[in-house]
Amino acid sequence: MPELPEVEVTRRRIAPLLLGRSIRTVATTSPSYFFLTPPVRLRRALAGRRAEALERRGKYLIAPLDDGSRLVLHLGMTGQLFSSAVTSPRLLRAAARGGLAPEAQHGFAPDEHTHLRLGFDDAGPEVWMRDARKFGKVLWLAPGASDPRLDRLGPDALTASGAQLFAASRRRRIAIKSLLLDQAVLAGVGNIYADEALHGAGVRPSRAAARVTRVECERLAAALRRVLLRSIETGGSSIRDYIGPDGIDGAYQDERRVYGRTGEPCLVCATPLRRRVIGARSSHFCPRCQR
DNA sequence: ACCGCACCCTGAGCGC
DNA sequence: TGCGCTCAGGGTGCGG
């Protein structure tokens, strides 16, 4: 599940493939709600353009183009943005992965889930976007156009302060976990890193946001920064679908302390970790360390 | 205004 | 072995 770290790693590694190259071909799948901008319009808008930068806001990637328009991408849950020159078992269905050595899986061929393919006016690799579940989004913004999705994003989780978090949590009766996932409060936090940060800060995910103290908000902001930065360092979490644009898996899944570890011992106090559904998201926590 | 929840989608993993 | 069911969840939007 691409969250801030995975999107940031993707940004850093895909930027060299995108920047300064003129887009010559744009191939898409059929219209669906994956395309907030209809494919026909998207193809027209992108052909001949050149990305001048690649920015990240929360979990969104934004590429300002040379005509002042912008290409906006969101990877959703299962989105993969990668070079056509790479392959990875994660690009294949489990059935197709079976038994194959990684080096035997050459030449990933675009399938029905490969929704966007950008080709360039040189001989280099293309940039492909694949998303089996289509929870991702592709959007083109005309010069000067804005989008409510971007406008409502709160401060980036990497730079948000404990004071901001404290202010945003006052009078809120929702669980602190749900508040962390609200992109208008903090941009970039998803289920994995919310759970990890709450454990790091010693705060139970189900606690009402308004009952989290100023000191705990400071601890939460610090834990978020620590967890997110460490994940970026290790290439993100490749738990199911996520791959780096260069086909290389992240390694942060090996450093998880609570996410997906229900029943296993807490690495701090050895108490078996618990799972509880909060706001339709599974939450993992230590009943002893997190109050 | 605030909050909970259904919905979009497909593949994995399970039970029978 | 194979089918069908359930679950996973980011973000949006609606109903209470």
Side-chain angles (χ1 to χ4, degrees), chain A residues 7-188:
Chain A
V7 177
E8 176 62 19
V9 170
T10 297
R11 186 190 71 78
R12 293 180 188 182
R13 295 191 196 166
I14 207 75
L17 278 184
L18 210 50
L19 300 192
R21 299 171 76 197
S22 285
I23 298 168
R24 194 178 64 187
T25 58
V26 183
T28 69
T29 50
S30 309
S32 72
Y33 76 99
F34 177 84
F35 294 103
L36 295 176
T37 300
V40 174
R41 190 145 164 248
L42 190 67
R43 290 198 289 265
R44 235 188 349 249
L46 296 183
R49 298 277 66 80
R50 197 158 30 83
E52 295 186 325
L54 187 61
E55 300 155 0
R56 181 188 60 75
R57 287 197 56 199
K59 304 178 197 175
Y60 287 88
L61 286 173
I62 304 167
L65 307 178
D66 58 355
D67 63 349
S69 68
R70 293 181 292 171
L71 174 63
V72 180
L73 306 176
H74 193 291
L75 298 178
M77 269 195 60
T78 53
Q80 301 167 318
L81 187 67
F82 55 99
S83 160
S84 64
V86 310
T87 187
S88 158
R90 291 186 199 279
L91 294 173
L92 308 170
R93 288 187 180 83
R97 286 175 203 166
L100 282 180
E103 54 277 13
Q105 300 163 344
H106 289 301
F108 164 75
D111 58 2
E112 75 271 28
H113 302 309
T114 311
H115 301 298
L116 182 65
R117 287 181 280 152
L118 302 179
F120 301 89
D121 63 352
D122 56 35
E126 301 196 350
V127 170
W128 291 350
M129 185 172 178
R130 183 173 182 273
D131 187 354
R133 229 167 282 184
K134 282 201 272 193
F135 280 14
K137 296 274 174 285
V138 176
L139 167 67
W140 176 79
L141 292 175
S146 63
D147 182 80
R149 290 170 182 78
L150 298 178
D151 292 342
R152 69 181 290 277
L153 290 178
D156 199 78
L158 267 184
T159 54
S161 68
Q164 282 174 310
L165 192 54
F166 183 72
S169 61
R170 293 311 88 188
R171 298 178 199 281
R172 296 298 299 272
R173 278 185 283 187
I174 57 170
I176 182 65
K177 163 77 179 278
S178 300
L179 191 85
L180 294 181
L181 294 180
D182 185 344
Q183 301 299 297
V185 173
L186 288 178

Side-chain angles (χ1 to χ4, degrees), chain A residues 180-247:
Chain A
L180 294 181
L181 294 180
D182 185 344
Q183 301 299 297
V185 173
L186 288 178
V189 181
N191 209 27
I192 299 173
Y193 300 103
D195 279 5
E196 295 298 323
L198 283 162
H199 182 262
V203 176
R204 196 171 291 214
S206 53
R207 176 123 57 102
R211 296 194 179 276
V212 178
T213 67
R214 187 185 296 272
V215 171
E216 286 172 328
C217 283
E218 292 291 347
R219 287 216 299 265
L220 261 177
L224 271 172
R225 248 192 320 276
R226 187 172 68 241
V227 164
L228 295 171
L229 284 173
R230 176 60 186 160
S231 183
I232 291 170
E233 261 179 47
T234 57
S237 298
S238 287
I239 292 177
R240 181 159 296 173
D241 302 286
Y242 177 74
I243 57 163
D246 43 15

